[in-house]
Amino acid sequence: MSSHEYQFNVAMSCSGCSNAVNRVLSKLDGVNDIKITLEDQKVIVKTKDNVSYDAVLNQIKKSGKEVRSGEVVA
């Protein structure tokens, strides 16, 4: 089964911020893996094939954090 990997630069200043992002992403159906690096303000999300970039982006925005940039890695 194929999958996607998306990378986002998200404004996160503390572990509470990264936990909020992690919490909303874990509620999204089809998310396989979430890696958040607070120092780099980077969020890497691996999903099933049927989860679009926009779906992940909109889910991160639900956390109230600013998404500075994003890209499709795979």
Side-chain angles (χ1 to χ4, degrees), residues 5-50:
E5 183 174 327
Y6 305 117
Q7 184 173 302
F8 299 90
N9 180 288
V10 182
M12 299 176 289
S13 54
C14 63
S15 61
C17 298
S18 59
N19 288 341
V21 172
N22 191 66
R23 206 164 34 249
V24 295
L25 283 172
S26 59
K27 291 179 183 168
L28 184 61
D29 239 12
V31 170
N32 294 334
D33 188 50
I34 305 163
K35 284 195 178 76
I36 299 176
T37 314
L38 192 54
E39 298 76 36
D40 300 334
Q41 311 221 329
K42 195 178 288 180
V43 178
I44 299 170
V45 185
K46 293 183 180 176
T47 70
K48 293 180 180 164
D49 196 37
N50 63 341

Side-chain angles (χ1 to χ4, degrees), residues 54-68:
D54 286 338
V56 177
L57 175 63
N58 289 330
Q59 195 70 12
I60 293 173
K61 287 179 177 177
K62 285 182 183 175
S63 71
K65 304 299 162 207
E66 176 197 354
V67 179
R68 295 191 182 116

